[in-house]
């Protein structure tokens, strides 16, 4: 049975300043590209969390060297030695389960991928079918899920491949990250409904270009990566703006104010949309030097938002919507049913548990604010659900949260930081 955490409750507005850990999305992309590079790379201020540790361990398994020394991690590229048979633990990290198999195809050895129980339920068919189409041998007993084994031959021919990445942009980013090291590069065509979370694809392209990789994305639905070296590169990791959402939301639901330190003026992070989302709820949002300051209104407006490109923000946005003064509608997020949990069902269940009203739509949620009462909220081993629960608890006295420790996936020590924020 998971532990119960008493979520802090505020009767007055929050007025706080927060500094965020590094971006998980940038950290894990930088780790992969550093492992594929032509020399030694350094990451400054990376996120040190379960997901990034799993990525570092996975790359070590494949023959890279990752040395962690406080706020600086050093990566020496894959050694090229034969691995024999080995295993990668993906935990519940989508970036590890999707990004690492195309890299494993480049090594000489049989690499088995497995992870948490829920990881075996997450969509993997696109990764496996795309690698098979590129000539990579995959052994999965016909499951199209974990566990599976990538039998690498030391190289991948590469070339054109057609995929449906509508379930996750990670399927696309995975191929692009490894593609420069394939003999013919890679030419990815997407066929299917629109790819969600496109800011994450933009981040992938930015990180590739920083390392001298030639990428052509001029044709809609097609991405071409030229074969060639990946230059070693020293990265300064941005603060994680998706993790900022809980603190922005905390200010919104208490009618308060939050200053988020070192918010980048230009970024590919999906979390940057919190500036627009907070404004949609009625907040005043402004830069003050390097910081972003969000000042809540007296009453939160309902919102109508398409979150296709920023689906990971949905749980916290839904928590705010449940405390607004008018109904909200969040759409474009059908793909969230395949995330750490079925986030649409989970949000409907937990908000309803508190007395709220939530309707599941084909591609989202319709949320009608109702008076909320205390409850013990489940988090489903999902860090974003835990963030949403913390936000609800800030406004609803005596809220309890199961397994708040699941936030260590992307934000170690979140509960302690939140308690200081709410004090």
């Amino acid at each position: 049975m998971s532990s119960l955490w008493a979520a802090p409750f505020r009767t007055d507005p929050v007025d706080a300043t927060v500094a965020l850990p590094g971006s998980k999305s940038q950290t894990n992309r930088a780790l992969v590209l550093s492992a594929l590079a032509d020399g030694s790379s350094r990451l400054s201020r990376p996120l040190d969390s379960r997901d990034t540790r799993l990525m570092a361990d996975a790359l070590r398994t494949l023959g890279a060297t990752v040395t962690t020394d406080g706020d600086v991690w050093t990566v020496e590229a894959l050694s090229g030695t034969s691995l024999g048979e080995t295993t990668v633990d993906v935990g519940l990290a989508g970036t590890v389960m999707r990004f690492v198999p195309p890299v494993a195809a480049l090594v000489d050895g049989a690499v088995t991928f497995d992870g948490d129980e829920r990881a075996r339920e997450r969509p993997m068919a696109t990764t496996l079918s795309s690698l098979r189409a590129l000539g990579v041998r995959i052994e999965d007993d016909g499951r199209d899920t974990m566990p599976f084994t990538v039998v690498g031959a030391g190289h991948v021919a590469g070339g054109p491949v057609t995929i449906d990445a509508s379930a996750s942009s990670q399927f696309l980013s995975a191929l692009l990250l490894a593609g420069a090291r394939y003999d013919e590069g890679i030419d990815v065509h997407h066929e299917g409904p629109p790819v969600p979370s496109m800011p994450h694809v933009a981040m992938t392209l930015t990180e590739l270009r920083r390392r001298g990789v030639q990428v052509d994305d001029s044709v809609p639905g097609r991405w071409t990566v030229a074969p060639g070296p990946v230059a070693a590169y020293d990265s300064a990791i941005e603060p994680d703006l998706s993790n900022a959402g809980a603190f922005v939301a905390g200010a919104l639901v208490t009618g308060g104010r939050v200053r988020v330190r070192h918010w980048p003026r230009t970024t590919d992070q999906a979390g940057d949309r919190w500036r627009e989302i907070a404004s949609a709820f009625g907040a005043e949002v402004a830069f003050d030097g390097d910081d972003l300051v969000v000042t809540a209104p007296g009453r939160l407006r309902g919102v109508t938002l398409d979150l296709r490109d920023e689906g990971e923000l949905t749980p916290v946005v839904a928590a705010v919507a449940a405390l607004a003064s008018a109904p909200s509608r969040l759409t474009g997020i059908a793909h969230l049913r395949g995330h750490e949990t079925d986030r649409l069902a989970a949000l409907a269940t937990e908000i309803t548990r508190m007395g709220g009203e939530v309707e599941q739509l084909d591609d989202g949620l319709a949320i009608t604010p109702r008076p909320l009462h205390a409850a013990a909220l489940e988090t489903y081993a999902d860090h974003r659900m835990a963030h949403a629960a913390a936000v609800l608890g800030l406004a609803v006295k005596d809220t309890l949260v199961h397994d708040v420790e699941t936030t260590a996936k992307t934000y170690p020590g979140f509960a302690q930081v939140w308690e200081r924020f709410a004090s």
Side-chain angles (χ1 to χ4, degrees), residues 48-59:
D48 187 352
S49 72
R50 186 187 186 213
D51 274 20
T52 59
R53 290 277 175 173
L54 286 166
M55 180 64 84
D57 286 344
L59 297 171

Side-chain angles (χ1 to χ4, degrees), residues 21 24 29 35 40 43-44 62 69 72 93 111 153 161-163 171 200 292 353 355 418:
K24 180 200 74 173
R29 283 164 173 77
S40 176
L43 281 62
S44 301
L62 299 186
D69 183 10
V72 178
V111 184
V161 62
T162 298
I163 68 171
F171 296 132
H200 287 98
L292 188 75
R353 191 191 303 278
W418 186 258

Side-chain angles (χ1 to χ4, degrees), residues 24-35 43 47 49-66 68 73 75 78 88-103 113 170 174 177 409:
K24 180 200 74 173
S25 298
Q26 278 194 343
T27 299
N28 275 355
R29 283 164 173 77
L31 284 170
V32 170
L33 289 171
S34 297
L43 281 62
L47 174 65
S49 72
R50 186 187 186 213
D51 274 20
T52 59
R53 290 277 175 173
L54 286 166
M55 180 64 84
D57 286 344
L59 297 171
R60 290 186 185 106
T61 298
L62 299 186
T65 300
V66 183
T68 60
W73 292 9
V75 184
L78 299 176
V88 165
D89 176 11
V90 308
L92 194 52
T95 49
V96 181
M97 67 181 72
R98 276 76 179 259
F99 291 1
V100 180
V103 178
F113 289 80
Q170 291 173 349
L177 287 167
K409 176 181 171 68

Side-chain angles (χ1 to χ4, degrees), residues 89-179:
D89 176 11
V90 308
L92 194 52
T95 49
V96 181
M97 67 181 72
R98 276 76 179 259
F99 291 1
V100 180
V103 178
L106 287 163
V107 305
D108 181 8
V111 184
T112 296
F113 289 80
D114 204 357
D116 296 356
E117 183 177 353
R118 169 60 180 166
R120 295 185 173 194
E121 302 172 17
R122 296 190 69 178
M124 287 299 302
T126 301
T127 290
L128 302 185
S129 64
S130 63
L131 290 176
R132 286 188 173 110
L134 293 167
V136 179
R137 180 178 160 196
I138 305 290
E139 297 176 351
D140 71 337
D141 294 330
R143 284 184 299 269
D144 279 341
T145 59
M146 282 179 285
F148 60 82
T149 300
V150 176
V151 183
H155 73 98
V156 177
V161 62
T162 298
I163 68 171
D164 178 355
S166 60
S168 174
S169 67
Q170 291 173 349
F171 296 132
L172 173 58
S173 284
L175 295 171
L176 300 180
L177 287 167

Side-chain angles (χ1 to χ4, degrees), residues 3 33 68 71 91 97 156 179 276 319 344 349 389 404 418:
S3 60
L33 289 171
T68 60
D71 285 343
M97 67 181 72
V156 177
E276 177 189 334
L344 302 188
T349 297
V404 73
W418 186 258

Side-chain angles (χ1 to χ4, degrees), residues 150-229:
V150 176
V151 183
H155 73 98
V156 177
V161 62
T162 298
I163 68 171
D164 178 355
S166 60
S168 174
S169 67
Q170 291 173 349
F171 296 132
L172 173 58
S173 284
L175 295 171
L176 300 180
L177 287 167
R181 294 292 307 274
Y182 292 175
D183 298 345
E184 300 173 21
I186 199 157
D187 183 359
V188 185
H189 298 248
H190 165 69
E191 287 188 0
V195 179
S197 305
M198 282 302 291
H200 287 98
V201 177
M203 181 185 294
T204 296
L205 301 183
T206 295
E207 296 302 321
L208 285 165
R209 288 169 174 145
R210 282 175 174 164
R211 292 160 177 80
V213 176
Q214 295 181 31
V215 184
D216 183 354
D217 62 336
S218 60
V219 178
R222 180 180 179 184
W223 297 262
T224 303
V225 177

